[in-house]
Amino acid sequence: MSLFGTTSGFGTSGTSMFGSATTDNHNPMKDIEVTSSPDDSIGCLSFSPPTLPGNFLIAGSWANDVRCWEVQDSGQTIPKAQQMHTGPVLDVCWSDDGSKVFTASCDKTAKMWDLSSNQAIQIAQHDAPVKTIHWIKAPNYSCVMTGSWDKTLKFWDTRSSNPMMVLQLPERCYCADVIYPMAVVATAERGLIVYQLENQPSEFRRIESPLKHQHRCVAIFKDKQNKPTGFALGSIEGRVAIHYINPPNPAKDNFTFKCHRSNGTNTSAPQDIYAVNGIAFHPVHGTLATVGSDGRFSFWDKDARTKLKTSEQLDQPISACCFNHNGNIFAYASSYDWSKVRTPGPALGAPRQQSQALGSEGLGLSCDSSQDSRVSLGRSPSPPCKGKLQDFLKWLWGFSTAFGQNPAHRKCSASVSHYGLLCSWAQKHRQAGGCTL
Amino acid sequence: MAICQFFLQGRCRFGDRCWNEHPGARGAGGGRQQPQQQPSGNNRRGWNTTSQRYSNVIQPSSFSKSTPWGGSRDQEKPYFSSFDSGASTNRKEGFGLSENPFASLSPDEQKDEKKLLEGIVKDMEVWESSGQWMFSVYSPVKKKPNISGFTDISPEELRLEYHNFLTSNNLQSYLNSVQRLINQWRNRVNELKSLNISTKLSDVKDGVNQAAPAFGFGSSQAATFMSPGFPVNNSSSDNAQNFSFKTNSGFAAASSGSPAGFGSSPAFGAAASTSSGISTSAPAFGFGKPEVTSAASFSFKSPAASSFGSPGFSGLPASLATGPVRAPVAPAFGGGSSVAGFGSPGSHSHTAFSKPSSDTFGNSSISTSLSASSSIIATDNVLFTPRDKLTVEELEQFQSKKFTLGKIPLKPPPLELLNV
């Protein structure tokens, strides 16, 4: 039962959470929390493209739904619409004109959601969950690229039920990114492939992975001329690799840096290493943001090779992040990412409570309010300035609302963390012991 | 920067101070300053990394699972001073070693191994203590293949399994399976932690040969949770290595260049390797249309021209030749497992073919090269395309005195046009 709070992996903030009733670290940065957050972990976030006036945020969650909010300049978020899949949604993306949203799900399909009519139709089919989905807009064609755990990359014209093209991957697709004319796909077994999309998608190069462990997320960055020139690759080992495609000096230009570790530069003591769950590049400044399982997000400058800012630690891992089209807003999702499969124990990664959406009644578990999943918005920092961390804080908005979570949990007794998890765990424990979640 | 020739031979006196580029010397370390060392120290380090680099490039296949050479990427400690200066013989032994990893080691290579093993042990300790995700593959040095015994399971996959088991009311078996996976991982980590010189190579190798335990995380269907549908590490790492190394050998020319390089003969090598991954690559071969401004460019709208080039070159199944572009031809190349099969014969024929032709494309005196390579490719219609199968532009190109860059046809010329 030591999965939450007391594992070494959780860090100091977790244990401190545990003891006191008043500290509430679910939003230490005082960023704006989005109203009516999904009921289960958020897997992906995406802001609308510049062609759409205003900012719209799409989030896909493990509660099988995709939700859309309008984010106003005041910071207020208005839930707009929602669509459902039959399986958890793993990735979302917008079309370039902002009229359609594409969603990829564990039910092995991908859907196109027309926002104006609020209709969603299926446009893609795989043999295994679809992990990534991206819209490709080329001068002579447009299509949707889906990467799946069935080791294929398929390209779909949304009007046809047959893919335009199928590319084989060496292993399951774990993450991908597209900035025309370049696409990068990172697969299991440390596979890494770059595609060029001009005229027709084709494999450009297979790259030896610069990282030693499993790939988790990838994001392409552009050079000063706004052309994609390389990518950042994050792994489960708290490390991000910056890799240029055709650098003048590969040994010097490509590098990796450690992030999302508990000890910082103190390498002598054993550190806790967390997975990098998402990477996003600021569309204007080119600085990158990483979010990790440790519940922090950080901003980095890859050209100066410095860290700009790290947030306070949230109580839950941050599972996804996204910048809006002009870089004024940075959204991050705080929800459980299944990273705590450490100690042999009953839970083995599963959260201590069941959300109603999963129909846990059948298992004899108590159904409490959902796991705390939340999306927060922060004003992203303006031009990188080292050392002026306070200035960044000034940029952050803050008002919070309670959404989808039982307020009662917040006021739980001292022994119960604000997770509200132990609540249900205690209830569960009362039932047939042994089998717990 | 110019590539340092001495480094390539393993005898750069300046080591890290050298003004020329040492490819692959420091991996992705970048930005870290190496302590200044005596030239002899640099030399030894240079040798270390050189031997590693050479092993990468020259003998990729023998490194399928083992002989992790050089040092681990993160530990840039200077290597031991046990190298002899007169170690050109040692280096040759190093090569011999890379070709036959089971040969007895010289003391210097043993020190290499030791460094690497220490790296592995340290990484394992960190892995265990740090609380990082355990279901991940691992490779001790950036360029090396993954060590056996670890499978890649992403958190989402694990979570999906959990969800599936949830719906089937069978959580206990989920818990059991995860527990089993954790135990397997822990065993493997402990095994690796206890590596020492004597155990090293054979162990890591044997680890490969043991079937990786049936991790049983196949597709996301609850019932099949325990089925061996999951790609057992052996096979998948085979594929991974085949990819990572075959691309080295096959892509030697192409990978260093920009897409423009695809337009000329290295495209054969490139197309061969890419076709192993691309199921509808038939179009990629047929460069009939001269829109070769970018790599492998091919217009969606001209399937007809494409289908003939490919069987000619690579002996692909005939079905590919006639398959329309748009149909997913995934089964033609098979799944991941067939990649390895295709990669080798494909690359042989291609590299053999492309070399002579690369010299001659500019001169359009293809006859000599073709006759030289005729022994490699048996059938006649592979060697020369019948005239009627060429597009007008290709015909033009063959008939003109010189090839125009960007319009070089990828199919062999018709017999009639050769000046023998």
Side-chain angles (χ1 to χ4, degrees):
Chain A
M1 297 305 175
S2 54
L3 223 50
F4 287 104
T6 53
T7 50
S8 59
F10 203 68
T12 53
S13 151
T15 49
S16 70
M17 290 320 312
F18 220 70
S20 62
T22 51
T23 350
D24 174 14
N25 255 7
H26 85 280
N27 186 8
M29 305 299 292
K30 303 285 180 280
D31 291 324
I32 302 173
E33 291 182 36
V34 170
T35 56
S36 358
S37 225
D39 295 325
D40 206 343
S41 292
I42 294 149
C44 45
L45 288 175
S46 185
F47 265 107
S48 55
T51 44
L52 210 55
N55 290 306
F56 292 84
L57 177 64
I58 297 274
S61 82
W62 280 76
N64 302 1
D65 64 2
V66 189
R67 298 190 183 193
C68 176
W69 296 265
E70 175 176 2
V71 180
Q72 296 176 328
D73 294 333
S74 60
Q76 192 160 11
T77 57
I78 308 169
K80 284 289 198 190
Q82 173 175 331
Q83 281 289 331
M84 300 295 295
H85 267 268
T86 47
V89 178
L90 295 181
D91 200 10
V92 289
C93 80
W94 288 81
S95 64
D96 62 307
D97 57 358
S99 62
K100 318 236 184 335
V101 170
F102 300 97
T103 59
S105 157
C106 286
D107 59 6
K108 310 179 190 169
T109 69
K111 291 194 179 170
M112 172 169 81
W113 177 13
D114 185 344
L115 293 169
S116 45
S117 64
N118 203 13
Q119 298 288 327
I121 55 172
Q122 178 180 340
I123 52 157
Q125 179 72 46
H126 273 270
D127 302 323
V130 186
K131 181 67 172 61
T132 67
I133 188 163
H134 291 88
W135 170 254
I136 300 178
K137 177 96 179 95
N140 56 339
Y141 71 95
S142 317
C143 64
V144 175
M145 177 178 98
T146 54
S148 156
W149 290 342
D150 65 357
K151 309 186 189 177
T152 62
L153 201 60
K154 293 190 182 175
F155 298 84
W156 306 84
D157 179 344
T158 56
R159 298 163 296 209
S160 157
S161 62
N162 282 329
M164 280 162 46
M165 191 173 190
V166 177
L167 296 180
Q168 285 293 329
L169 297 170
E171 253 286 352
R172 295 152 285 160
C173 170
Y174 274 174
C175 48
D177 194 15
V178 169
I179 294 188
Y180 185 80
M182 176 169 134
V184 169
V185 175
T187 69
E189 309 281 333
R190 296 168 61 239
L192 194 52
I193 313 170
V194 178
Y195 295 87
Q196 68 84 25
L197 303 170
E198 274 179 57
N199 230 301
Q200 185 196 10
S202 63
E203 193 176 301
F204 172 66
R205 189 187 299 173
R206 297 214 170 180
I207 301 183
E208 305 244 10
S209 167
L211 299 170
K212 291 192 202 171
H213 285 87
Q214 182 185 114
H215 298 158
R216 186 102 175 96
C217 49
V218 70
I220 296 180
F221 57 81
K222 303 188 276 199
D223 59 11
K224 302 269 188 304
Q225 287 82 33
N226 239 17
K227 300 232 173 349
T229 177
F231 56 88
L233 180 68
S235 80
I236 51 113
E237 186 229 352
R239 194 182 291 266
V240 172
I242 301 285
H243 192 96
Y244 290 82
I245 298 293
N246 276 327
N249 189 354
K252 298 253 165 21
D253 290 339
N254 297 336
F255 65 97
T256 69
F257 61 91
K258 293 192 259 198
C259 51
H260 299 291
R261 298 188 176 202
S262 62
N263 267 353
T265 51
N266 177 9
T267 49
S268 57
Q271 8 171 254
D272 301 317
I273 298 182
Y274 298 92
V276 181
N277 282 332
I279 303 181
F281 278 91
H282 194 285
V284 174
H285 301 311
T287 50
L288 76 136
T290 62
V291 292
S293 286
D294 55 350
R296 293 180 197 264
F297 59 85
S298 302
F299 296 107
W300 311 79
D301 182 345
K302 68 173 196 327
D303 302 312
R305 302 198 185 182
T306 56
K307 185 194 309 200
L308 299 173
K309 166 186 169 58
T310 300
S311 74
E312 296 298 319
Q313 181 162 20
L314 273 71
D315 56 351
Q316 291 189 93
I318 304 184
S319 47
C321 67
C322 182
F323 280 102
N324 76 331
H325 65 88
N326 57 10
N328 282 347
I329 311 178
F330 175 66
Y332 56 96
S334 152
S335 53
Y336 184 52
D337 61 352
W338 223 253
S339 50
K340 298 227 184 301
V341 191
R342 282 302 297 178
T343 52
L348 288 182
R352 295 305 187 87
Q353 64 191 13
Q354 281 307 297
S355 104
Q356 295 214 344
L358 297 177
S360 50
E361 282 93 341
L363 291 169
L365 299 171
S366 66
C367 306
D368 282 351
S369 79
S370 61
Q371 182 182 9
D372 302 351
S373 308
R374 57 184 71 84
V375 183
S376 300
L377 305 174
R379 187 85 74 119
S380 59
S382 55
C385 47
K386 301 172 244 185
K388 299 281 178 112
L389 298 189
Q390 300 307 319
D391 293 338
F392 293 136
L393 291 175
K394 279 192 266 172
W395 284 102
L396 293 180
W397 305 334
F399 71 80
S400 68
T401 59
F403 44 77
Q405 66 181 9
N406 191 341
H409 285 181
R410 303 288 201 103
K411 302 166 194 137
C412 278
S413 64
S415 60
V416 177
S417 81
H418 66 286
Y419 268 114
L421 298 172
L422 272 195
C423 246
S424 63
W425 177 79
Q427 293 183 22
K428 262 218 48 35
H429 204 59
R430 268 185 258 121
Q431 298 170 5
C435 176
T436 58
L437 263 197
Chain B
M1 262 167 45
I3 306 242
C4 177
Q5 291 302 317
F6 294 104
F7 175 77
L8 290 183
Q9 297 166 25
R11 49 195 190 93
C12 177
R13 286 183 309 155
F14 301 100
D16 230 30
R17 298 176 298 155
C18 183
W19 293 343
N20 296 319
E21 180 177 332
H22 290 182
R26 291 291 169 259
R32 265 179 284 179
Q33 295 303 318
Q34 292 292 334
Q36 282 300 319
Q37 297 240 338
Q38 301 169 6
S40 55
N42 281 342
N43 210 5
R44 295 167 199 140
R45 239 205 335 265
W47 278 348
N48 240 351
T49 50
T50 308
S51 65
Q52 166 192 345
R53 182 181 174 272
Y54 263 96
S55 319
N56 260 337
V57 171
I58 292 182
Q59 288 293 338
S61 53
S62 70
F63 275 86
S64 49
K65 309 282 202 279
S66 64
T67 56
W69 284 93
S72 77
R73 174 169 60 85
D74 272 345
Q75 290 147 29
E76 303 275 14
K77 304 182 205 125
Y79 291 117
F80 292 144
S81 54
S82 57
F83 282 171
D84 299 326
S85 304
S88 50
T89 46
N90 277 353
R91 291 218 62 254
K92 288 195 193 102
E93 284 175 20
F95 280 141
L97 253 145
S98 66
E99 290 162 30
N100 182 8
F102 288 103
S104 59
L105 294 175
S106 75
D108 299 331
E109 278 78 21
Q110 279 181 352
K111 294 286 192 232
D112 273 351
E113 293 291 326
K114 187 168 174 212
K115 279 273 97 189
L116 193 76
L117 288 175
E118 285 178 10
I120 297 181
V121 169
K122 184 155 183 276
D123 278 343
M124 290 297 126
E125 281 165 17
V126 168
W127 197 346
E128 252 196 325
S129 68
S130 63
Q132 70 185 52
W133 184 252
M134 61 178 79
F135 303 125
S136 157
V137 293
Y138 165 73
S139 139
V141 183
K142 161 175 101 149
K143 291 209 190 300
K144 294 301 174 188
N146 306 326
I147 285 193
S148 69
F150 292 114
T151 50
D152 237 357
I153 306 178
S154 73
E156 286 81 28
E157 287 168 314
L158 196 63
R159 181 173 192 162
L160 194 64
E161 290 295 332
Y162 167 78
H163 277 226
N164 293 335
F165 275 88
L166 210 57
T167 51
S168 67
N169 288 0
N170 202 1
L171 266 172
Q172 191 56 48
S173 61
Y174 163 80
L175 297 174
N176 292 341
S177 315
V178 178
Q179 194 58 58
R180 194 170 325 179
L181 284 172
I182 294 181
N183 292 339
Q184 281 162 352
W185 171 81
R186 195 151 272 140
N187 291 342
R188 187 69 182 132
V189 168
N190 289 334
E191 264 176 43
L192 287 175
K193 276 207 290 194
S194 55
L195 280 181
N196 54 36
I197 294 285
S198 56
T199 54
K200 46 135 196 108
L201 264 187
S202 34
D203 248 15
V204 180
K205 268 185 162 337
D206 284 346
V208 166
N209 296 331
Q210 296 157 13
F215 285 129
F217 243 27
S219 55
S220 55
Q221 291 145 17
T224 62
F225 186 73
M226 296 315 298
S227 74
F230 189 73
V232 172
N233 196 38
N234 279 340
S235 57
S236 51
S237 55
D238 272 343
N239 291 338
Q241 289 127 32
N242 279 337
F243 273 100
S244 53
F245 287 118
K246 283 252 172 358
T247 50
N248 269 340
S249 48
F251 264 88
S255 61
S256 54
S258 58
F262 274 28
S264 54
S265 56
F268 293 142
S273 308
T274 53
S275 63
S276 59
I278 299 175
S279 50
T280 53
S281 61
F285 280 99
F287 266 35
K289 298 288 174 248
E291 294 162 45
V292 193
T293 49
S294 58
S297 64
F298 169 82
S299 146
F300 271 118
K301 288 149 194 108
S302 53
S306 66
S307 47
F308 289 110
S310 46
F313 277 160
S314 55
L316 289 174
S319 59
L320 263 187
T322 52
V325 173
R326 285 171 151 256
V329 211
F333 276 102
S337 53
S338 71
V339 164
F342 180 75
S344 13
S347 59
H348 286 327
S349 61
H350 279 279
T351 47
F353 189 72
S354 63
K355 282 209 182 69
S357 56
S358 65
D359 307 323
T360 57
F361 260 9
N363 306 331
S364 69
S365 57
I366 306 176
S367 55
T368 49
S369 66
L370 281 182
S371 52
S373 53
S374 60
S375 54
I376 299 165
I377 302 175
T379 55
D380 259 358
N381 62 355
V382 164
L383 214 39
F384 314 107
T385 37
R387 201 177 180 123
D388 46 13
K389 297 231 171 89
L390 290 174
T391 66
V392 174
E393 290 166 66
E394 288 175 332
L395 206 47
E396 243 176 64
Q397 287 289 309
F398 284 131
Q399 281 169 341
S400 58
K401 278 209 170 8
K402 289 174 90 168
F403 280 127
T404 328
L405 259 190
K407 295 196 183 168
I408 301 175
L410 271 194
K411 305 177 205 153
L415 193 44
E416 306 83 20
L417 284 180
L418 295 181
N419 308 320
V420 182

